[in-house]
Amino acid sequence: GGQLIYGGPLGRNSHKIVEYFEAIQGVPKIKDMYNPATWMLEVSSVAAEVRLGMDFAEYYKSSDLFRRSKALVNELSTPPAGSSDLFFATKYSQSTVGQFKSCLWKQWLTYWRSPDYNLVRYFFTLACALMIGTVFWRVGKHKESSTDLTLILGAMYASVIFVGINNCQTVQPVVAIERTVFYRERAAGMYAPLPYALAQILIEVPFVLFQTLYYSLIVYAMVAFPWKVEKFFWFVFVSFFSFLYFTYYGMMTVSITPNHQVASIFAAAFYGVFNLFSGFFIPKPKIPGWWIWYYWICPVAWTVYGLIVSQYRDIDDPIIVFGATQNFTVKGYIEHHYGFKPDFMGPVAAVLVAFTCFFAFIFAYCIRTLNFQSR
């Protein structure tokens, strides 16, 4: 085994190789309508060599066909005078934009054909919206006391954290599978890591936007927040970027870990910290000074900040604060008790966008840099 017994042209219907073997004395002729490949394997088997008392490999080496093939190889191995080495101006056949378009189209088809991912998260989002809407039914109309505001804050907090964590968890196996395909296609030179990562990042935007719109409409209406264009816009804006940074956070955890099981454990390790420093369980003014730095780098804290300020920064109605020695308005109580400044929506919006971009950047960088292939 492992020796060459024929190297040359096949010809039409393999007639060249058939003629070569039929010219050997003792080899039976091929039957009409017989498969040449099957016939060649039969007549060149070890049993046939024993019966004929010959070695097909040695026979080929002493044939004129071998000498002609050897001469042709030597001729083609020497480049002609004046020729230059084969050169490609770029590493990939497509430009970066072309690679990005191809990857984006591929991701679109993949997501469109993945109902087990998109329909499940949409159904979960709908269930969460209805659950939060019924649990906190029309609490937005009640703001007479600090208890009412705490209840409203809880509704806003729950409205984002449930869906956000679900987005983070459900995207991880999808990205892990896509990364395996990416390793193979990158090795084949189909595209660079950056266009792939950008396509993976951008394909989530329309799906998360649709998720945010119907979720916000349901929750906003059932909780009975004020129907004002500016306030509804800010609610959608904060919810959208919160859902998006949770999604990108899940993608990021996959990119820095070998598989989605480890990524899930890694991501879950921060859920509790996000909750603790969100400003809901422990208001910002009551967080110890040596831990306040984590409040400012906690993405959920900025989400809660944006949701509550966007809805109540202009409410000057008096509010009952149990145990307080001074009178408060809604706006004043929010600033005094939670540390939420009414005129801080601009920085809040910028930070939410920054967190989203940061998680997306880390995902793209790690996809480009890290390689968790086992072989």
Side-chain angles (χ1 to χ4, degrees):
Q3 298 187 73
L4 183 64
I5 63 173
Y6 180 83
L10 292 178
R12 183 176 179 81
N13 296 325
S14 302
H15 76 277
K16 292 285 187 181
I17 190 172
V18 170
E19 292 173 356
Y20 172 81
F21 280 102
E22 285 184 340
I24 301 175
Q25 186 176 1
V27 173
K29 304 294 184 182
I30 188 172
K31 300 177 182 178
D32 291 339
M33 306 302 293
Y34 201 70
N35 186 352
T38 304
W39 174 82
M40 186 272 295
L41 292 174
E42 291 174 352
V43 300
S44 63
S45 64
V46 176
E49 286 185 328
V50 173
R51 180 174 56 82
L52 297 174
M54 64 175 297
D55 187 337
F56 283 108
E58 293 298 328
Y59 179 84
Y60 172 69
K61 289 180 181 179
S62 61
S63 66
D64 292 336
L65 177 62
F66 174 78
R67 287 187 287 272
R68 290 197 303 270
S69 299
K70 193 75 172 178
L72 180 61
V73 169
N74 292 333
E75 178 185 352
L76 297 178
S77 299
T78 304
S83 63
S84 59
D85 293 338
L86 190 63
F87 172 76
F88 296 98
T90 59
K91 182 178 180 180
Y92 301 98
S93 60
Q94 293 286 330
S95 65
T96 301
V97 175
Q99 296 173 51
F100 170 72
K101 290 180 179 179
S102 298
C103 289
L104 188 62
W105 178 245
K106 170 182 174 292
Q107 293 294 345
W108 172 258
L109 292 179
T110 300
Y111 272 51
W112 190 249
R113 297 169 181 174
S114 303
D116 53 336
Y117 170 49
N118 287 308
L119 291 184
V120 167
R121 69 169 169 175
Y122 284 164
F123 177 79
F124 180 87
T125 303
L126 178 62
C128 278
L130 294 175
M131 180 186 69
I132 292 171
T134 52
V135 170
F136 298 99
W137 177 256
R138 305 189 73 79
V139 298
K141 286 186 172 296
H142 307 291
K143 43 185 179 292
E144 291 80 16
S145 68
S146 58
T147 303
D148 294 333
L149 277 184
T150 301
L151 192 62
I152 294 169
L153 184 61
M156 293 181 172
Y157 169 79
S159 69
V160 171
I161 198 71
F162 288 170
V163 178
I165 291 178
N166 179 71
N167 277 14
C168 179
Q169 291 177 325
T170 53
V171 78
Q172 289 173 339
V174 176
V175 175
I177 293 172
E178 284 297 310
R179 183 175 62 178
T180 303
V181 178
F182 160 72
Y183 285 151
R184 182 179 69 245
E185 294 179 344
R186 181 182 62 177
M190 295 181 66
Y191 47 76
L194 185 58
Y196 163 81
L198 289 177
Q200 183 77 65
I201 290 168
L202 290 182
I203 196 61
E204 284 288 346
V205 173
F207 291 94
V208 175
L209 180 60
F210 175 71
Q211 177 189 32
T212 304
L213 289 176
Y214 77 80
Y215 182 83
S216 298
L217 283 170
I218 295 173
V219 172
Y220 203 87
M222 296 181 73
V223 177
F225 289 127
W227 281 104
K228 294 183 178 180
V229 174
E230 180 187 7
K231 293 188 176 185
F232 181 71
F233 167 79
W234 279 119
F235 187 88
V236 173
F237 179 90
V238 174
S239 299
F240 170 68
F241 278 99
S242 299
F243 294 163
L244 198 59
Y245 75 61
F246 264 111
T247 303
Y248 290 164
Y249 173 69
M251 294 166 58
M252 181 196 72
T253 58
V254 173
S255 70
I256 62 178
T257 53
N259 53 63
H260 73 272
Q261 290 89 351
V262 178
S264 180
I265 297 172
F266 180 86
F270 286 88
Y271 294 155
V273 183
F274 286 170
N275 289 333
L276 184 62
F277 290 94
S278 64
F280 173 64
F281 294 105
I282 307 176
K284 181 171 73 74
K286 296 184 179 180
I287 297 177
W290 53 87
W291 273 112
I292 195 64
W293 61 271
Y294 197 89
Y295 172 86
W296 293 113
I297 65 171
C298 176
V300 180
W302 292 92
T303 295
V304 175
Y305 201 134
L307 288 174
I308 195 70
V309 170
S310 65
Q311 301 301 312
Y312 294 102
R313 59 177 172 170
D314 58 345
I315 305 298
D316 291 317
D317 298 341
I319 186 175
I320 300 173
V321 180
F322 301 102
T325 58
Q326 64 181 101
N327 297 325
F328 285 100
T329 62
V330 172
K331 181 173 68 174
Y333 177 76
I334 289 173
E335 183 173 4
H336 176 268
H337 184 72
Y338 293 104
F340 295 159
K341 297 180 180 179
D343 57 349
F344 211 58
M345 274 308 298
V348 169
V351 171
L352 288 175
V353 174
F355 271 119
T356 304
C357 295
F358 173 74
F359 291 144
F361 170 78
I362 296 299
F363 166 75
Y365 178 79
C366 291
I367 282 292
R368 177 181 178 274
T369 307
L370 303 180
N371 190 334
F372 292 100
Q373 286 179 298
S374 58
R375 58 183 176 87

